Amino acid sequence: MQTHQIDIAAFVPEHLDAAVTLSRQVGWPHRPEDWQMALALSEGAVAIEDGKVVGTVLVTRYKEESATINMVIVDGSMRGLGIGRRLMDAALGLSDGRPLRLVATEEGLPLYEKLGFRETGQVLQHQGIAAKIAAPAITSATTSADLSAIAELDRQAFGADRSDLIAYLANVGTFAVIRRDNRIAGFSVLRSFGRGEVIGPVAAENLEDAKALVAHFIALRPGRFLRVDITGVADLSDWLAERGLGHVGGGIAMMKPPIAHADSVPTIFALANQALG
């Protein structure tokens, strides 16, 4: 019987090339730059056998309020050896007791449920070649003076302070906003990712504003490959498909501990909110 000596170590920049290889093995589109962004905002762990990285996990902490678990990957030839559980144990340690969120695949769902995660909804991935559409009249570009208001709106939508993420996105992406009554009433961001560009996070006061903020970037990128991940909002999938971004898959949104009361759900409408997945 073959035995495996698997060590769990801290995820450091030297592991990035191996991480890109693993993500390509499972069909994920992440470029080296996408992994670099995720690691810059996170801490993580890798599983190593004989000097080779055979598994990854990242934990992105948002102040003391919350954390997300991202990039959980195990080499296809090493599955069934408990590596995923050991990586998740490392992630739980890195979270230091914070409430946790992740987006699960069907394959990972049983493990996450054993660890106390519970389903909170569906995440739908939409992507494709952007159609030519008219730019919405209610959106506009941003200035650096808008970032604090954008970070506050994101905090209301996500339920935790992600100002470090917003600041990072300001350096690598482009924001659009809706201004109403001398305030920022909604925002979206576009950045390079995978095969093209991704829209998100997006936060707004209602669904129509959120559509306008997504349409802002679709209108700017006709003929370009775009992606947006959304929560399961009625009619939004059809709306995106009509603009060239068809539904191609997705995942299961989960939390640990689960939401206890309906009044704990943020009142700001949010979609495309995971940001690093």
Side-chain angles (χ1 to χ4, degrees):
M1 177 183 293
Q2 182 180 6
T3 59
H4 297 271
Q5 177 60 47
I6 309 296
D7 297 312
I8 305 297
F11 196 139
V12 296
E14 288 74 17
H15 297 134
L16 283 170
D17 287 345
V20 173
T21 298
L22 279 179
S23 59
R24 288 174 177 166
Q25 180 192 95
V26 295
W28 294 2
H30 297 69
R31 308 165 303 152
E33 296 90 341
D34 302 322
W35 273 99
Q36 288 165 3
M37 174 180 168
L39 184 57
L41 293 164
S42 312
E43 291 187 60
V46 293
I48 299 176
E49 183 190 43
D50 294 331
K52 178 185 177 182
V53 173
V54 295
T56 63
V57 66
L58 291 176
V59 179
T60 312
R61 297 183 295 220
Y62 301 115
K63 303 297 189 277
E64 300 303 315
E65 302 164 324
S66 179
T68 57
I69 296 179
N70 313 296
M71 312 307 290
V72 183
I73 309 175
V74 175
D75 187 301
S77 67
M78 303 293 288
R79 293 175 185 170
L81 301 175
I83 295 173
R85 175 60 187 259
R86 293 182 63 188
L87 288 168
M88 285 299 297
D89 286 343
L92 294 176
L94 289 170
S95 72
D96 197 24
R98 292 169 175 81
L100 288 168
R101 311 179 196 204
L102 57 79
V103 178
T105 62
E106 290 289 346
E107 293 81 3
L109 188 61
L111 171 59
Y112 302 138
E113 289 179 333
K114 288 178 183 177
L115 293 172
F117 288 85
R118 294 296 178 263
E119 180 176 348
T120 59
Q122 296 290 315
V123 176
L124 308 179
Q125 184 184 133
H126 283 256
Q127 64 185 38
I129 304 301
K132 185 176 182 179
I133 66 171
I138 63 172
T139 60
S140 62
T142 61
T143 70
S144 58
D146 295 325
L147 285 183
S148 61
I150 288 171
E152 172 57 23
L153 193 64
D154 181 75
R155 185 194 65 77
Q156 295 177 49
F158 186 76
D161 184 344
R162 300 196 296 180
S163 52
D164 290 343
L165 169 64
I166 296 300
Y168 195 102
L169 290 171
N171 287 325
V172 300
T174 302
F175 281 92
V177 295
I178 292 174
R179 303 180 193 276
R180 186 174 292 131
D181 300 326
N182 296 315
R183 62 186 175 84
I184 301 296
F187 78 88
S188 59
V189 61
L190 177 79
R191 64 180 171 90
S192 296
F193 176 85
R195 295 172 54 189
E197 294 170 289
V198 63
I199 302 170
V202 179
E205 294 178 334
N206 55 65
L207 178 58
E208 292 308 309
D209 281 359
K211 285 181 177 180
L213 288 159
V214 173
H216 177 96
F217 289 119
I218 295 176
L220 286 178
R221 294 292 193 271
R224 300 279 291 274
F225 186 88
L226 298 180
R227 169 177 163 175
V228 57
D229 295 350
I230 65 170
T231 51
V233 179
D235 301 326
L236 194 53
S237 281
D238 289 344
W239 181 87
L240 286 166
E242 290 167 1
R243 286 149 183 82
L245 309 185
H247 177 212
V248 297
I252 303 157
M254 307 190 80
M255 292 186 69
K256 174 187 168 73
I259 295 174
H261 302 289
D263 60 9
S264 67
V265 179
T267 57
I268 298 297
F269 185 88
L271 59 93
N273 224 5
Q274 188 74 4
L276 298 179

